[in-house]
Structure formats: structure tokens, C-alpha cells
Amino acid sequence: MNLTKEQFASMVDHTNLHADATRADFERLCREAVQYGFKSVAINSYPVSMCRKFLEGTPVLTGAALSFPLGQTSIDMKVAEAKDAIANGAQEFDYVENVGRVREHDYAYIEEEMSRMVEVARNAGITCKVILETCYLTDQEIVEVCKVARRVKPDFVKTSTGFGTAGAKVEHVRLMKQTVGDEVQVKAAGGIRDAKTAIAMVEAGATRIGCSAGIKIYNELAAMEQAKDLA
């Protein structure tokens, strides 16, 4: 497919989720997101208010990663963290589902968790993304979670945190999209470091890309466009 650098930028959640990130790192992240026209910055919940101020007056959204990266907190704690992030200015949030409960095939728990997080997002008028952490799941488990999502209707199902044993895989993105259909969008994240991989994820059905290599990929796409123009 012909993915332009502008189309790519409009899908990017520009990411810094490192434990040692400083105020200067977050300021740079926000400045880069504005410069390149990225969709959002993806950060942990602590720097949300800081980044919202850095991005004031720009179209770039401030997104919070919740129960990150393990997902091993109670539903009540996830709800509380979501409300706190929203109070601090979050315009989107990505939360990690309880992967252990998926592996136990306790999909009633996953549906309750997802329903309550989606309710928080809907009440605030913001976007909710559910991180499956697909590297730990079988294809059938991925399908079952996506069936829950098709009923509950978060805005996105998302492949990965980037902190698991593997990141996004094209076959998982395709499977997720086939299962949720047009009811829910798919975000690919984790290990997306070049234009070829980004294009493959979009071709498989992803409409949002989470990565820290967005500038590198943007420049690769720009070079590909230039080469095409010169051909």
C-alpha cells in the first residue's frame, strides 16, 4: 500500500513509557509529536498533567497507559487510575487487561473489567484502548477477548505493551481485526521500528500505531516518497 508520511503520522501514539524518563524527556516527546503531526503522546499516568500543559493549544492528544505494564491490579484500582488520569487531563487511555484471567478463560471477569473501563471513558468522552498482550495468549484466547470487545465496544483493542516477551505481530493484528470487524479499531504496538513493519500492520487492519520510532519511520516514508517522485 502507499502509506504517506502524513497518514502514518496521524496514526501514531508517540511513546515514552520508560521508568527513568524525566521532565526534559517528556517535553521533548511533546515537542516532537507537535512537529511531526502525531496523533498523541503515550505516557504513564504520572506525567499526564505535565504533558497536557506542554501540548496546550495543539491538536496532539495526551494519552495515559494504565495498570502498566502488567495489568495485575484489581478492577477498582484500574477504574481509580483511569479517573485520576482523566482528572489530570488524559484525553485517551490504554489499560492492560488481566492477562492471567484470560489464560484462565475467565471471560466474564474480562467483560466486567472492560465494561467498567469503557464506562469511565464514555462518561468522560474520551478514547479507551484495551491492551491484550498477545505474546502470552493463544489465537483462540485472542479471539475470545475480541469477541468480548465486540460486545462491550471499547474504541480499540491493542496488541502489546512492548514490555512482554514479544510485540505486535501482523498475524495477530489481522486476527483481531477479523474478529472485531467494524465495531472496534485495532492498535498495533510493540517492536514497530521501521516503515516496512508499520505498513504491514496497517495493511493487516491497524488504524493506530504505538511506537517510540515514529520519527525514524516518518523519515523512511518521506525518503520512499521522494524516491518514487524521482523515479
Side-chain angles (χ1 to χ4, degrees), residues 38-206:
F38 294 147
K39 180 69 174 181
S40 80
V41 295
I43 51 177
N44 287 297
S45 56
Y46 152 69
V48 163
S49 59
M50 183 193 313
C51 289
R52 185 65 189 270
K53 290 176 182 176
F54 289 148
L55 293 168
E56 189 174 1
T58 80
V60 180
L61 302 175
T62 302
L66 308 180
S67 194
F68 197 89
L70 302 178
Q72 291 292 321
T73 52
S74 69
I75 297 174
D76 285 345
M77 286 299 294
K78 289 178 184 180
V79 167
E81 189 179 9
K83 290 180 177 179
D84 179 71
I86 292 165
N88 285 320
Q91 296 160 293
E92 302 189 326
F93 65 73
D94 302 34
Y95 81 88
V96 186
E97 69 176 2
N98 190 316
V99 182
R101 298 302 280 264
V102 177
R103 295 188 65 216
E104 294 169 5
H105 299 172
D106 188 353
Y107 300 114
Y109 181 96
I110 295 302
E111 184 156 353
E112 180 186 358
E113 181 182 71
M114 195 183 298
S115 296
R116 290 187 62 190
M117 294 298 278
V118 168
E119 182 182 16
V120 173
R122 293 291 170 268
N123 288 342
I126 70 169
T127 297
C128 173
K129 306 171 206 158
V130 183
I131 306 174
L132 275 62
E133 199 68 300
T134 50
C135 62
Y136 299 125
L137 306 179
T138 66
D139 284 0
Q140 189 57 45
E141 288 165 347
I142 292 169
V143 167
E144 292 302 326
V145 174
C146 287
K147 286 180 180 177
V148 172
R150 200 168 60 198
R151 292 193 295 273
V152 177
K153 294 181 175 54
D155 298 281
F156 288 84
V157 286
K158 174 180 169 182
T159 57
S160 318
T161 63
F163 287 75
T165 56
K169 293 184 177 180
V170 169
E171 56 267 32
H172 288 159
V173 171
R174 187 176 296 114
L175 180 63
M176 291 162 70
K177 186 58 184 174
Q178 287 172 347
T179 307
V180 297
D182 295 330
E183 300 295 318
V184 181
Q185 297 182 70
V186 177
K187 175 178 172 179
I192 302 171
R193 300 188 180 95
D194 57 53
K196 180 180 178 181
T197 304
I199 291 169
M201 296 297 174
V202 175
E203 287 179 333

